[in-house]
Amino acid sequence: MRVRSALVYTVLRLLVFVVPFAIMMLFPIMREYYWLSAIFAALIGLSLSVLFLRRPLDDLTAGLAARRRTRRDRDEDAEDAAADQVTSTPSE
């Protein structure tokens, strides 16, 4: 996993929440009901991230999958070596 792709995706996700929340906080009625502004900002942020953050999410998940695949390959190689060692030793 590349740290850059994780950082980019995290920052973009935070921005798609913080920007609508800040805009709504400019209205006096929304300052009184800040919890409602947070809910609306979360819904707006979720919608925007589904629409526009597909590529950063794909980069992040591809990096995670590659990292997991290499770890699984090393585990399987170690297990195969251990199994070969057990089967190759003569038993008395």
Side-chain angles (χ1 to χ4, degrees), residues 15-30:
L15 282 176
V16 297
F17 172 77
V18 170
V19 170
F21 185 73
I23 291 171
M24 282 188 267
M25 286 285 99
L26 295 175
F27 300 109
I29 189 71
M30 293 307 243

Side-chain angles (χ1 to χ4, degrees), residues 28-45:
I29 189 71
M30 293 307 243
R31 274 189 234 135
E32 188 175 332
Y33 298 108
Y34 62 90
W35 54 271
L36 191 59
S37 296
I39 292 172
F40 286 153
L43 291 173
I44 292 168

Side-chain angles (χ1 to χ4, degrees), residues 19-86:
V19 170
F21 185 73
I23 291 171
M24 282 188 267
M25 286 285 99
L26 295 175
F27 300 109
I29 189 71
M30 293 307 243
R31 274 189 234 135
E32 188 175 332
Y33 298 108
Y34 62 90
W35 54 271
L36 191 59
S37 296
I39 292 172
F40 286 153
L43 291 173
I44 292 168
L46 177 67
S47 300
L48 291 175
S49 67
V50 167
L51 291 173
F52 298 113
L53 298 182
R54 175 75 59 198
R55 176 171 275 163
L57 180 61
D58 287 343
D59 293 343
L60 178 63
T61 55
L64 288 172
R67 181 174 154 190
R68 184 173 180 166
R69 189 172 34 254
T70 58
R71 186 175 355 149
R72 185 179 315 146
D73 291 344
R74 285 185 278 150
D75 288 344
E76 288 175 356
D77 292 341
E79 290 171 358
D80 290 343
D84 290 342
Q85 185 179 12
V86 169

